[in-house]
C-alpha cells in the first residue's frame, strides 16, 4: 500500500468516525426536542392541575367558613328572638298589673281595698317580669369569625416552581465489582433534606466510552432507593462493561441524571458448540439433554445440510458461510465442547447437573481431543466424573487415571481455571467447598468440556471468580498438590 492510499484510508476512517459521532448527536438533539415538547406539556398540565386543586381547596374552605358564620348567626338569632318574645310578654303582663294597681289606688271604695291590694301583690310576685334575666343570652359580636389572610396571601404570592434536586455524582473510586455484584456509591454537591429517593439505571454494553444512542441493551431501572449507595446482586456478566447513572427525586420532581459511569464487568462467557456434540446430545446454547434418537435426527439434519450445500454451490451469488470446526464426537464419547477457548487468566463457570444421569463429567480439554476420546481418559482432558451405573461414584480423572472423591455430590459444580498457573479446581458451587484440584502446565489453550449419558445438564456463564474461591486458591498456592498422580 503506497503512502497516499494509506493516508486516504486514515482520512476515510476519521471521517466515518466523525460522521457516526455527528449522526449520534443529531439523534440526541431530535430526541431532546421530542422530550422537550412532551415534558413541557406534562409540567403545564401538572401546573394547571395543582392550581385547580388549590382553587378547589380555597373554595371548599370558603364554603365551610361561610357555613360556620350562617350557623352562628342562626343560632344567636334564635336565642335572641326567644328572649325578645319572652320579654315582650312579660312587659305586657307587667303593664296590665301596673294599670290595675293604679286603678285600685284611685278607687274611692274602701270595702275590699285590702283584699285587692293583697291580690295585686301576689300577682306581682308571680309576674314573669320579675323572673326574667335582663342580660342578653347571645352576643351580637361576630369578630371571632373574622379572618386575616395577609400571611397566607404573602405565602401564595411566594409560590414558585419546586427546586430541582441537585445532580448526584457517582464516586468511581468507591464503587465495587465483585462476586457478580456491583455496588454503586454517589454523593450530592450539598445536603438536601427534601430528597425522598433516588433512581438508579444500569445498562449492559460492550463499549467503554459514554453511552450511545443506539445501544444493544436497554436501561434497567431501580427505583425507591433511600440511601446514597445501592448493591445489585445476582448479576450475569455477559458483556464487557456496565454503565450506571443516578438521579435524585423530591416529592414532585426528579433531577438530572448524573454523568454516566462505565465499570468493567469481566467474566467468562461462552456457549456450547453444537457442531462438536455427539449425535445423541440435544444441545441448546447452554443446556444439553440426552436424546437416544439423536442419531437418526442427525442423519436427517446432515442430509438437509448436504442438500442446502449443493444448492449453495449452484448459486453464484451466495458465498460459503460454514465456519471451520472440528469432527463431532462419536462412539461412546458423549461429549460436547464450549465455543470459547481459555488461553490466559482466571476463569470460572458453573454446571447444574441432573444427579439421576447415568453418567456425567465436567472439566476442560485441549481442542485436539480426539473424537473417540472420553473425558479424563487421555492426556488431553481433566474432569470429575459422576457414575450412576450400578453403583454411584464420584471420581477425578486425567490421562486414564482416576481418584475417588470422598465428598457429597452437589447439585451445581463450579469449575475454576487459572491458565497461567496450570490449575483446574472443582467446587461445590453453593458452599464453595473444594472438591478436587489438578495442577499441570498448559502448553496450548484449553476449552470447557462436558459429557452426559442418559441425563441432562445446564451451564451458567458470565460469572466472576468468587471471592471465596480466590481466597482458597491463594491459601493453597504454596502447597504441593496431593493429586500429582493424576497430573
Amino acid at each position: 500500500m503506497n503512502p497516499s492510499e494509506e493516508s486516504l484510508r486514515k482520512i476515510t476512517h476519521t471521517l466515518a468516525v466523525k460522521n457516526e459521532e455527528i449522526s449520534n448527536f443529531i439523534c440526541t438533539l431530535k430526541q431532546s426536542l421530542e422530550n422537550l415538547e412532551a415534558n413541557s406539556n406534562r409540567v403545564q398540565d401538572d401546573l394547571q392541575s395543582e392550581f385547580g386543586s388549590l382553587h378547589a381547596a380555597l373554595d371548599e374552605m370558603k364554603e365551610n367558613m361561610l357555613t360556620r358564620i350562617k350557623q352562628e348567626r342562626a343560632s344567636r338569632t334564635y336565642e335572641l328572638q326567644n328572649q325578645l318574645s319572652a320579654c315582650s310578654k312579660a312587659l305586657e303582663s307587667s303593664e296590665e298589673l301596673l294599670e290595675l294597681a293604679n286603678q285600685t289606688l284611685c278607687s274611692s271604695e274602701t270595702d275590699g281595698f285590702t283584699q285587692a291590694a293583697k291580690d295585686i301583690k301576689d300577682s306581682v310576685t308571680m309576674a314573669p317580669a320579675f323572673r326574667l334575666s335582663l342580660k342578653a343570652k347571645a352576643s351580637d359580636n361576630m369578630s371571632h369569625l373574622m379572618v386575616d389572610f395577609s400571611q397566607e396571601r404573602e405565602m401564595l404570592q411566594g409560590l414558585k416552581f419546586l427546586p430541582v434536586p441537585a445532580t448526584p455524582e457517582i464516586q468511581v473510586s468507591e464503587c465495587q465489582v465483585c462476586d457478580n455484584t456491583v455496588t454503586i456509591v454517589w454523593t450530592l454537591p450539598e445536603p438536601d433534606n427534601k430528597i425522598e429517593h433516588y433512581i438508579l439505571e444500569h445498562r449492559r454494553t460492550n463499549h467503554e466510552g459514554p453511552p450511545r444512542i443506539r445501544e444493544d441493551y436497554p436501561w434497567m431501572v431501580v427505583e425507591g432507593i433511600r440511601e446514597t449507595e445501592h448493591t445489585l446482586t445476582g448479576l450475569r456478566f455477559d458483556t464487557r462493561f456496565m454503565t450506571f447513572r443516578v438521579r435524585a427525586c423530591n416529592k414532585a420532581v426528579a433531577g438530572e441524571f448524573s454523568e454516566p459511569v462505565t465499570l468493567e464487568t469481566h467474566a467468562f462467557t461462552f456457549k456450547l458448540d453444537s457442531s462438536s456434540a455427539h449425535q445423541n446430545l440435544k444441545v441448546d446454547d447452554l443446556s444439553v439433554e440426552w436424546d437416544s434418537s439423536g442419531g437418526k435426527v442427525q442423519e436427517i439434519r446432515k442430509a438437509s445440510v448436504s442438500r442446502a450445500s449443493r444448492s449453495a454451490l449452484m448459486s453464484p451469488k451466495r458465498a460459503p458461510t460454514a465456519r471451520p470446526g472440528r469432527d463431532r464426537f462419536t462412539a461412546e464419547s458423549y461429549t460436547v465442547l464450549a465455543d470459547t477457548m481459555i488461553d490466559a487468566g482466571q476463569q470460572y463457570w458453573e454446571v447444574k447437573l441432573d444427579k439421576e444421569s447415568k453418567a456425567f463429567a465436567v472439566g476442560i480439554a485441549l481442542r485436539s481431543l480426539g473424537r473417540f476420546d472420553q473425558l479424563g481418559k487421555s492426556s488431553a482432558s481433566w474432569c470429575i466424573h459422576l457414575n450412576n451405573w450400578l453403583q454411584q461414584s464420584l471420581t477425578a480423572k486425567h490421562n486414564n487415571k482416576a481418584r475417588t472423591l470422598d465428598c457429597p455430590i452437589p447439585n451445581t459444580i463450579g469449575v475454576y481455571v487459572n491458565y497461567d498457573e496450570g490449575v483446574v479446581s472443582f467446587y461445590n458451587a453453593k458452599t464453595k467447598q473444594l472438591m478436587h484440584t489438578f495442577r499441570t502446565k498448559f502448553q496450548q489453550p484449553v476449552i470447557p468440556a462436558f459429557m452426559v449419558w442418559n441425563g441432562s445438564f445446564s451451564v451458567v456463564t458470565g460469572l466472576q471468580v468468587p471471592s471465596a474461591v480466590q481466597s482458597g486458591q491463594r491459601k493453597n498456592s504454596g502447597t504441593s498438590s496431593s493429586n500429582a498422580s493424576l497430573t
Side-chain angles (χ1 to χ4, degrees):
M1 184 184 299
N2 61 57
S4 298
E5 183 179 356
E6 182 179 359
S7 176
L8 184 58
R9 287 184 180 276
K10 289 182 178 179
I11 292 173
T12 302
H13 175 72
T14 302
L15 287 174
V17 171
K18 178 56 68 175
N19 289 347
E20 183 179 4
E21 291 178 355
I22 296 174
S23 177
N24 287 336
F25 185 61
I26 289 174
C27 291
T28 302
L29 291 177
K30 290 181 178 179
Q31 187 65 51
S32 295
L33 286 171
E34 293 179 6
N35 292 344
L36 177 62
E37 183 70 19
N39 291 335
S40 298
N41 291 335
R42 178 177 59 81
V43 297
Q44 183 173 330
D45 292 342
D46 288 345
L47 183 64
Q48 293 283 7
S49 176
E50 285 296 323
F51 269 99
S53 299
L54 189 59
H55 289 155
L58 289 173
D59 288 340
E60 182 181 1
M61 183 174 293
K62 176 183 176 182
E63 288 301 320
N64 290 338
M65 297 179 79
L66 286 174
T67 300
R68 171 77 184 280
I69 292 174
K70 292 175 181 178
Q71 290 175 343
E72 186 83 7
R73 181 180 64 186
S75 175
R76 295 191 183 193
T77 298
Y78 178 77
E79 292 289 341
L80 292 176
Q81 287 284 11
N82 286 343
Q83 194 172 16
L84 176 61
S85 176
C87 289
S88 297
K89 291 179 180 179
L91 178 60
E92 183 180 352
S93 175
S94 181
E95 287 177 343
E96 290 177 354
L97 286 174
L98 177 60
E99 184 178 357
L100 179 59
N102 287 331
Q103 290 176 358
T104 302
L105 287 174
C106 296
S107 175
S108 58
E109 297 180 6
T110 58
D111 295 338
F113 177 83
T114 304
Q115 183 62 41
K118 182 178 182 302
D119 292 340
I120 291 173
K121 179 180 178 183
D122 292 339
S123 297
V124 169
T125 303
M126 299 299 296
F130 293 94
R131 298 199 304 271
L132 283 176
S133 170
L134 298 183
K135 181 178 180 181
K137 290 186 176 181
S139 171
D140 60 354
N141 187 351
M142 296 289 283
S143 60
H144 67 290
L145 294 178
M146 294 182 65
V147 295
D148 178 8
F149 289 152
S150 57
Q151 292 184 351
E152 287 77 5
R153 190 178 300 109
E154 290 180 6
M155 183 182 69
L156 289 174
Q157 290 171 347
L159 288 178
K160 56 185 178 180
F161 293 108
L162 190 66
V164 177
T167 303
E169 180 181 358
I170 296 178
Q171 303 298 317
V172 180
S173 61
E174 297 183 34
C175 297
Q176 293 184 351
V177 180
C178 181
D179 290 338
N180 283 85
T181 67
V182 179
T183 298
I184 304 298
V185 180
W186 59 89
T187 57
L188 289 171
E190 57 185 28
D192 186 350
N193 57 11
K194 293 185 178 180
I195 290 179
E196 288 196 338
H197 65 276
Y198 298 90
I199 297 175
L200 175 66
E201 294 190 353
H202 58 93
R203 179 165 64 184
R204 295 177 292 165
T205 180
N206 284 308
H207 303 278
E208 188 174 5
R212 306 179 307 167
I213 294 296
R214 299 164 183 164
E215 285 284 359
D216 296 330
Y217 301 95
W219 287 105
M220 306 302 291
V221 182
V222 182
E223 297 182 319
I225 302 173
R226 302 294 179 181
E227 306 296 333
T228 55
E229 67 175 69
H230 186 73
T231 299
L232 299 169
T233 61
L235 300 174
R236 181 171 173 263
F237 296 150
D238 54 1
T239 56
R240 294 176 56 204
F241 305 96
M242 286 184 70
T243 302
F244 300 87
R245 63 185 186 182
V246 64
R247 61 178 173 177
C249 303
N250 56 27
K251 187 175 182 179
V253 66
E256 295 293 327
F257 275 109
S258 65
E259 284 295 320
V261 167
T262 300
L263 301 179
E264 184 176 7
T265 53
H266 171 74
F268 185 45
T269 59
F270 62 85
K271 294 181 180 179
L272 298 175
D273 181 8
S274 59
S275 67
S276 71
H278 189 283
Q279 63 184 6
N280 286 114
L281 299 183
K282 184 179 179 181
V283 179
D284 201 353
D285 287 342
L286 290 171
S287 63
V288 172
E289 185 176 357
W290 169 265
D291 182 5
S292 59
S293 63
K296 296 178 181 178
V297 174
Q298 295 295 345
E299 289 300 324
I300 296 174
R301 290 177 181 171
K302 185 176 181 181
S304 300
V305 170
S306 178
R307 287 194 296 271
S309 299
R310 286 196 297 272
S311 299
L313 290 173
M314 294 169 63
S315 174
K317 297 180 181 179
R318 185 171 180 179
T321 57
R323 64 177 180 83
R326 54 155 290 135
D327 293 336
R328 183 184 298 277
F329 288 99
T330 189
E332 294 184 357
S333 181
Y334 305 112
T335 305
V336 60
L337 301 178
D339 64 356
T340 304
M341 291 187 292
I342 301 172
D343 58 5
Q346 303 176 57
Q347 315 297 346
Y348 179 84
W349 64 96
E350 294 180 353
V351 187
K352 297 179 180 179
L353 61 140
D354 175 9
K355 292 198 290 186
E356 298 302 320
S357 302
K358 294 298 183 184
F360 168 80
V362 59
I364 59 171
L366 304 180
R367 184 71 180 175
S368 59
L369 182 69
R371 61 194 297 254
F372 294 95
D373 292 341
Q374 299 179 36
L375 291 186
K377 290 194 173 184
S378 73
S379 61
S381 62
W382 299 257
C383 74
I384 58 173
H385 182 274
L386 169 65
N387 184 8
N388 274 328
W389 183 247
L390 299 180
Q391 185 176 359
Q392 189 178 73
S393 64
L394 185 66
T395 55
K397 290 186 174 183
H398 170 64
N399 202 18
N400 208 26
K401 297 178 181 179
R403 171 170 294 182
T404 301
L405 303 180
D406 184 18
C407 61
I409 300 173
N411 294 318
T412 305
I413 296 174
V415 184
Y416 166 82
V417 175
N418 187 330
Y419 184 87
D420 303 320
E421 298 293 332
V423 172
V424 187
S425 295
F426 300 88
Y427 288 85
N428 180 320
K430 182 177 181 180
T431 65
K432 300 300 182 289
Q433 178 185 0
L434 178 63
M435 300 169 64
H436 188 77
T437 294
F438 291 103
R439 298 187 187 278
T440 184
K441 186 175 182 180
F442 300 120
Q443 302 296 333
Q444 55 181 293
V446 295
I447 193 166
F450 311 86
M451 184 280 294
V452 67
W453 175 50
N454 279 320
S456 62
F457 67 87
S458 61
V459 183
V460 182
T461 70
L463 302 179
Q464 295 184 302
V465 180
S467 299
V469 171
Q470 288 184 330
S471 177
Q473 289 293 325
R474 284 194 294 268
K475 291 179 181 179
N476 296 329
S477 61
T479 62
S480 61
S481 173
S482 60
N483 310 307
S485 61
L486 297 179
T487 59

